[in-house]
Amino acid sequence: MRSLPDASVDVIFADPPYNLQLGGELHRPNNSRVDGVEDSWDRFDDLATYDAFTRAWLAEAQRLLKPDGTLWVIGSYHNIFRVGAALQDRGYWILNDVIWRKSNPMPNFRGRRFTNAHETLIWAARSQESRYTFNYESMKALNDDLQMRSDWYIPICSGGERLRDAEGRKQHSTQKPEALLHRVLLASTRPGQLVLDPFFGSGTTGAVAKRLGRRWIGLERDNDYARIARERIARVEPLTDPSLIEIKPKREAPRVPFGWLVERGLLEPGTLLYGPGRRHCAKVRSDGTLIASGPEGDHRGSIHQVGAALQGAPACNGWSFWHLDVEGRAVPIDVLRQKLRAEME
Amino acid sequence: MRSLPDASVDVIFADPPYNLQLGGELHRPNNSRVDGVEDSWDRFDDLATYDAFTRAWLAEAQRLLKPDGTLWVIGSYHNIFRVGAALQDRGYWILNDVIWRKSNPMPNFRGRRFTNAHETLIWAARSQESRYTFNYESMKALNDDLQMRSDWYIPICSGGERLRDAEGRKQHSTQKPEALLHRVLLASTRPGQLVLDPFFGSGTTGAVAKRLGRRWIGLERDNDYARIARERIARVEPLTDPSLIEIKPKREAPRVPFGWLVERGLLEPGTLLYGPGRRHCAKVRSDGTLIASGPEGDHRGSIHQVGAALQGAPACNGWSFWHLDVEGRAVPIDVLRQKLRAEME
DNA sequence: ACAGGTGGTGAATCGCACA
DNA sequence: GTGTGCGATTCACCACCTG
C-alpha cells in the first residue's frame, strides 16, 4: 500500500484477517472433523497486536482514497468491533453497517450458542465531508423497486464458484461469493472507477470488478493466492453492457414458526388449543411448544409433534390440526399465521 | 449501579444511549418532519466522552454479574463498535452478535444510503470461563425445530404496545418491542433468575421479565421514565403456571448408566447391538460393557468407548450409535433408557 | 433423461461433572 | 489445579451415484 500514490483510489474493499482465536478441534455430530480456519495469516498474539495491524492499514487506506472515496470492510464479531472503532477514531464517516445474512451457514454443532449466520460489512466515507457515490436507483431496481435494506440475503461461496485444486481441496479458506461483491461494487462505484483490495486472497474483488467494467488493484503477499487470483481473473469475461445482466437477489421463503405467534403476543402462553371435534386439548407454553395430557403421560413438543403423538400418527400438520376457541367457535391457528404473514409484508 | 453488591445478577440487558450525532432536521418527501431522537441523554461531546461513559458502566456491570452471568447490549453503527471493542478490552467473552432485522424500518428519505433496517445486539459472557445459560431447546422450539440463527426478524414497537401520553405523543423515543426481550430472556435466563437493566427507560425489560417469571431490577435516572415504567409493569400479569415457563433441558435429565439396563433386566447379557447401517456389531456383557471384534483385535469398554474405537473417532455417543434388532428393525438403545427413566419417576 | 438417495462441507472464538 | 469419561450436538446446498 505504501508504494501507491495519495488520493488515487475511488473505493477500497477490505477483507482483513478476522483473528478468530479458535480453540481445539470441532466435530460434527457424525464425528467428521470441521475444517476450520487455521491459516497462519489469521493468528495474532493478542488484541493489541491486532489493533496495531488494523490501525496501520486503515491509515494507509485513508491516504490512498480520493476525498470522495469510500471504504468497505467485512468481518465477524471477532474483529469487526475493533475495526469499526478504529475507523471512527481516524475520522472515517460510517454510512451504513450492512449485514450479510447467509442462506446456508454452518450450524452450531454443540448447541451452545445461536447459529452464527451472518457477517458484518461497514461502509464508510473517507471523511464526513466526502460526497460519495451511491447508486440508489440500481440498488432499488435490484430489490424489486423497494429501497435496498441494510440486510442482504446471499449464499456462501460453494459449488462451482468455489476454487478447488486437483484434489478437490479449497484453494482459499475464506473465499467470498461474487454476489456479495457484485452488490458492493454496483452500489458504490461507477464504471471505470478504480477499486483497491488490499487483502486480495482468491481475487473475488478483481473478478467482479473486471466483469462490471471497473478498474482494480489487488494486493496479496502470498504468491500462491496471487497466482490463483490471476488465473481466475484471466478467465472472466467483462460485460459489454452491464445493464443487461443483473444478479437478482435471493428471495427468502416467508416461513412463520409457531413460536413467533407467542413472541409477538398474538397468542398468550397458557392458551388452550383443541384438536378437531375437541377430542384433544393442549396448552401453549412460552417458547412455542405445546403440553398435552395423553393416556400414556404428558406430551411436549412442537404443534406438529404433539398433534402426531396424540393421534398416534407418524406426522401431523399442526397448523390445520389445532384450533382456538373464539366465543365457542373453533378457529384454526393458521388464521393467526396468515395475520402475522400479512403484517410481515 | 455502584450501590448494588458484587456478583449478584444473572443477566444484564443494556440499551445505552446510541450517541446518534444527528445533524439538522429531516423531512419526509411529503414535507412532514421526522420525529428523531433529540433527547439530552443521547448527546455526548465527542467519542472520548462516550467511550469513558461506556467503559464506566461496563466495568460496573462486570462487577455486578455472577461469574457465569451474561450481558446483552443493543446498539446501532453509531455506538456498537465502540461498545463491542470496550467489552473485549475488559475481558468479556463475546458469544454472539445478533441482528435485530426490523420488519418495518423507517425508509431512507434522501436516497443516499441503504435503508438502515437493523440494530445489533452483542451477547457476551462475563469472562471466557463463564458457564453461561443458553436454553438451546427453547430457541429451537421457537424456530420450528431449526436452530435459532443470529438474525432475528421482529417488528419495531408500535401500535397498542407503544406507550403514549394523553396527547398521543410517544412517552419514550426508543421504546424496544417486547418480542425482542421475550427472545433475549427466554434464551439466556431461567425462571427465578435476576435480570438487571441499567438503562431502564420505559421498562420493557421489567415487563417481559415479570411476565416470564424472572426477577428484575431497573435503573433509571429520569423520574418521568421511572414512573411510566412502574405503572406499565404493574399492569403486567405474570404467567403463574410453571409448566408454561419451565423448560427442562435434555442435558439435565437424570443420568442412566447403560449397565442399569442389564441390571434391571431390560437387556440380556449376550444381546447383539448394531451400529448404523449394521456396519458394526458388539455383544452386551453382564457388567454393561460391550465386546466387539475390529480389524485390529477385540474392543472392550463402555458403549461410548467401543463405538468410538470402531469408528476410529475421538468420541461417540453410544446411546444414539447402538441399535437393537427388533423383528428386523433397528431400534436405538436410547428407547430403553427412556423407558427406564419413565419407570424411575 | 430424470428422480431420488447418499455423502461431503462451510470465517466456529461450540461441556461438564466428577475424582 | 488437572485428568478422565459420559454423552450432547447440524442446516442448506451441491456433487455424485443409482435405478
Side-chain angles (χ1 to χ4, degrees), chain A residues 63 71 109 269:
Chain A
R63 182 181 68 77
L71 167 80
F109 295 116

Side-chain angles (χ1 to χ4, degrees), chain B residues 63-336:
Chain B
R63 181 181 68 78
L64 297 183
L65 279 174
K66 295 181 187 174
D68 294 340
T70 61
L71 167 78
W72 290 84
V73 199
I74 182 168
S76 67
Y77 67 81
H78 306 85
N79 71 322
I80 198 66
F81 303 117
R82 316 202 72 79
V83 172
L87 270 178
Q88 293 179 303
D89 289 339
R90 276 212 69 81
Y92 283 96
W93 192 245
I94 298 182
L95 301 169
N96 280 111
D97 57 339
V98 170
I99 303 305
W100 168 26
R101 301 175 53 223
K102 302 179 185 183
S103 58
N104 46 352
M106 198 182 324
N108 184 294
F109 294 116
R110 309 294 290 271
R112 299 294 300 143
R113 305 177 182 197
F114 299 100
T115 302
N116 195 4
H118 73 274
E119 295 189 23
T120 301
L121 298 100
I122 301 175
W123 182 40
R126 187 187 185 280
S127 78
Q128 191 174 354
E129 291 73 39
S130 303
R131 295 188 325 225
Y132 55 89
T133 297
F134 178 57
N135 298 315
Y136 176 75
E137 289 83 2
S138 286
M139 286 298 102
K140 194 168 171 174
L142 202 59
N143 195 36
D144 265 359
D145 288 333
L146 291 176
Q147 286 192 340
M148 184 68 79
R149 297 168 42 119
S150 56
D151 52 335
W152 300 355
Y153 188 69
I154 292 175
I156 62 174
C157 180
S158 63
E161 187 184 326
R162 189 89 199 206
L163 299 170
R164 296 184 184 277
D165 64 15
E167 284 76 43
R169 286 176 307 226
K170 51 194 178 191
Q171 299 228 32
H172 194 285
S173 56
T174 66
Q175 185 183 343
K176 294 291 175 289
E178 296 195 1
L180 184 71
L181 270 295
H182 183 101
R183 197 174 294 185
V184 163
L185 296 182
L186 207 59
S188 59
T189 66
R190 297 170 197 238
Q193 282 192 330
L194 181 59
V195 180
L196 167 69
D197 186 336
F199 305 98
F200 206 51
S202 58
T204 306
T205 304
V208 177
K210 180 178 174 186
R211 181 170 311 123
L212 291 178
R214 275 67 171 171
R215 294 176 299 130
W216 56 272
I217 299 175
L219 306 178
E220 177 52 54
R221 93 191 153 175
D222 182 296
N223 283 326
D224 288 333
Y225 289 160
R227 178 182 48 76
I228 291 162
R230 262 193 296 266
E231 292 169 4
R232 169 190 188 177
I233 295 166
R235 294 193 296 270
V236 171
E237 287 294 323
L239 297 173
T240 45
D241 184 347
S243 74
L244 302 180
I245 45 180
E246 263 173 32
I247 288 103
K248 199 157 193 93
K250 210 177 185 179
R251 293 182 158 86
E252 286 177 16
R255 203 176 79 84
V256 175
F258 178 72
W260 292 11
L261 302 181
V262 183
E263 218 171 53
R264 302 282 188 97
L266 279 82
L267 208 51
E268 291 284 319
T271 307
L272 290 177
L273 301 183
Y274 301 92
R278 311 238 165 181
R279 281 187 291 274
H280 304 289
C281 179
K283 198 181 282 183
V284 177
R285 303 205 294 169
S286 56
D287 61 352
T289 57
L290 300 187
I291 179 166
S293 303
E296 295 150 13
D298 283 358
H299 295 288
R300 291 155 197 262
S302 71
I303 52 172
H304 315 294
Q305 288 165 339
V306 175
L310 288 173
Q311 292 183 96
C316 169
N317 181 348
W319 290 108
S320 52
F321 183 80
W322 293 109
H323 298 256
L324 289 161
D325 182 311
V326 180
E327 296 164 8
R329 287 181 311 116
V331 175
I333 57 173
D334 199 40
V335 302
L336 295 179

Side-chain angles (χ1 to χ4, degrees), chain A residues 32-106:
Chain A
S32 66
R33 189 175 156 281
V34 172
D35 181 19
V37 175
E38 293 163 3
D39 307 85
S40 61
W41 49 253
D42 197 50
R43 279 201 282 275
F44 294 81
D45 288 339
D46 49 35
L47 287 178
T49 311
Y50 187 78
D51 289 345
F53 163 77
T54 299
R55 282 192 285 263
W57 75 258
L58 280 175
E60 279 303 291
Q62 207 170 26
R63 182 181 68 77
L64 298 182
L65 278 175
K66 295 181 186 172
D68 293 340
T70 61
L71 167 80
W72 291 84
V73 198
I74 183 167
S76 66
Y77 66 85
H78 310 83
N79 71 323
I80 199 66
F81 303 117
R82 316 201 72 79
V83 173
L87 271 177
Q88 293 179 304
D89 288 341
R90 277 212 68 81
Y92 284 96
W93 191 247
I94 298 182
L95 301 169
N96 279 111
D97 56 339
V98 170
I99 304 304
W100 169 26
R101 303 176 50 226
K102 302 181 185 185
S103 61
N104 48 348
M106 189 164 16

